[in-house]
Amino acid sequence: MRDRKISESTIHRLSHYYRALTTVEREHFDTISSKELARREKLTPAQVRKDLSFFGSFGTRGLGYPVKELKAKIAFILGIDRSWNVALVGVGNIGSALVSYKEFGRQGFNIKLLFDNDQRKIGSNHKGISVLGMDDLERQLRENKIELVILAVPASSAQAIVDHIVNCGIKAILNFAPIKLKVPDDVFIRTENMVMELEYLSFSLVNNLPRQSSRKKNLTGFGSARSIARGFDRGSV
Amino acid sequence: MRDRKISESTIHRLSHYYRALTTVEREHFDTISSKELARREKLTPAQVRKDLSFFGSFGTRGLGYPVKELKAKIAFILGIDRSWNVALVGVGNIGSALVSYKEFGRQGFNIKLLFDNDQRKIGSNHKGISVLGMDDLERQLRENKIELVILAVPASSAQAIVDHIVNCGIKAILNFAPIKLKVPDDVFIRTENMVMELEYLSFSLVNNLPRQSSRKKNLTGFGSARSIARGFDRGSV
DNA sequence: AATTGTGAAATTGTTCACAGCA
DNA sequence: TGCTGTGAACAATTTCACAATT
């Protein structure tokens, strides 16, 4: 169990397990095997066991994992056994949709503050929260003990705003601007890039990929039809 | 160049290169080295060259890559050297935000049709597009040559609706419902799970991870403080 | 009998290092 | 000389396979 290396994908899968376990719990199962959990998330049983084993031994040989307890352990590992105070910066299209997005609150991510630098928006009300100006940022983030910021501003102003946010001591940012933001090493940032996902689908369609199963993530078979037909220079092929 | 295996991450990085090249083009550079492209996207030069080499030899030794041409090649590979007709199903919070989201159109993903099964929403207008009922789905998708559907409906109804969409012959779906949808093997589906990204940030915060650099994706150092302090059963540790 | 937990093997992905070319 | 393209080396991740346990 020494020098564990926990990959980003392991953490993402924990999120999936957590959601699956929520369902399993509603179905009144007390235990679940790695096999069944894997089936529900289209993974392999070994993958499930390996992922969980990084964090401890939660199961019982011969029996499986206790649903409630495993769910609680994963919540603990992910840090969602508590609630988080969240501020949202940028109350445009995406921003205002996110204020109303129920899944955040359901998982304990509570949007407490809204900010925008547009004078016309300041003071307006979204779901009972009134929009503050960026001047108030630092004081309000501190007073409301905000630990996490969702950034939904245009790409052009994102870097300046993220600098400001970082100066206020925020260590975790979920960014919706389609741009690579620079932050100090001790600040965590994740970027949601919705266009990139559409581009991935576009790539899949035009290259007629054999659909990736959940077990094999490699996309073989690129090329033949599309690349040769349209004259790619592709070295030795 | 035989049996290339093109990974999901390679495709995602192509999207990044494409965006970087758009900027580089605006800055009036004619050529760019793998080193400079890597610097802008926080990758290694070797990674850039390897990614591109899967698809051909686009550069000139000693000089670098021609910006305009490389951008065009990547657009071709990703299938974004054309526009796509997109339909959006589910005109709730997220859905109506996406209708106005300019980045989609900017990359040639044009939302042409809106659908909802809420009688009150049918006929209403969003950005000049009027919302249709689900009964019209099949006919309208065909008549408007829709190839890609964005699904922004509640998790509870997502599977039923995706079944319907698949029956209409759609082969690519961008799903915003936080649920694992079942689709046939020849249908591509990508899921945007915004809560999962917050959970990842939450995990990072509570486990005080050393921030992942862009080169090393492994998160070492989980455990000590948090897990032992709160009494994880962790086998041999 | 069933299922976990985990080293070892297999596979996949990244980086190195250098030949080859402009 | 500078930089690409790529096989080989290395690293990370996944899967296998089986001992351990209930």
Side-chain angles (χ1 to χ4, degrees), chain A residues 50-231:
Chain A
K50 186 63 110 185
D51 283 339
L52 296 175
S53 79
F54 285 125
F55 301 95
S57 306
F58 306 135
T60 309
R61 288 163 204 245
L63 257 176
Y65 299 89
V67 173
K68 272 214 165 86
E69 277 166 60
L70 181 58
K71 190 177 163 227
K73 294 281 190 187
I74 293 177
F76 170 79
I77 294 164
L78 291 177
I80 54 174
D81 56 342
R82 48 162 288 184
S83 64
W84 293 89
N85 293 331
V86 178
L88 193 153
V89 179
V91 192
N93 291 321
I94 301 290
S96 49
L98 296 177
V99 186
S100 311
Y101 188 54
K102 296 201 182 60
E103 300 297 328
F104 288 159
R106 203 167 284 156
Q107 206 41 256
F109 297 101
N110 301 316
I111 297 178
K112 293 278 168 100
L113 298 176
L114 303 179
F115 295 93
D116 206 296
N117 57 11
D118 182 341
Q119 284 300 327
R120 288 162 301 183
K121 284 178 187 159
I122 295 170
S124 71
N125 204 294
H126 289 255
K127 293 273 153 179
I129 312 171
S130 79
V131 178
L132 303 169
M134 297 296 288
D135 308 334
D136 285 334
L137 196 70
E138 183 151 7
R139 193 171 55 83
Q140 292 281 356
L141 291 183
R142 284 191 207 287
E143 280 180 13
N144 289 276
K145 300 198 195 323
I146 301 293
E147 293 161 294
L148 216 155
V149 166
I150 300 177
L151 192 67
V153 303
S156 52
S157 50
Q159 185 63 57
I161 292 175
V162 92
D163 290 345
H164 193 174
I165 290 167
V166 166
N167 277 338
C168 296
I170 293 295
K171 299 291 183 210
I173 297 167
L174 179 59
N175 168 44
F176 281 85
I179 190 181
K180 182 136 295 183
L181 295 170
K182 283 185 256 313
V183 292
D185 269 7
D186 64 337
V187 176
F188 304 106
I189 188 160
R190 304 284 305 174
T191 295
E192 283 281 358
N193 194 325
M194 300 180 287
V195 173
M196 250 176 58
E197 294 302 325
L198 284 181
E199 288 174 348
Y200 191 91
L201 287 171
S202 160
F203 171 83
S204 304
L205 286 173
V206 296
N207 293 292
N208 236 284
L209 293 179
R211 162 102 173 303
Q212 54 178 307
S213 87
S214 42
R215 310 173 60 145
K216 290 271 152 240
K217 279 193 185 168
N218 274 338
L219 321 169
T220 52
F222 169 85
S224 42
R226 183 166 161 86
S227 60
I228 292 173
R230 290 183 48 181

Side-chain angles (χ1 to χ4, degrees), chain A residues 26-39:
Chain A
R26 266 204 303 274
E27 294 166 4
H28 302 292
F29 290 102
D30 287 342
T31 59
I32 188 168
S33 65
S34 57
K35 192 177 161 191
E36 172 61 12
L37 195 46
R39 191 191 59 75

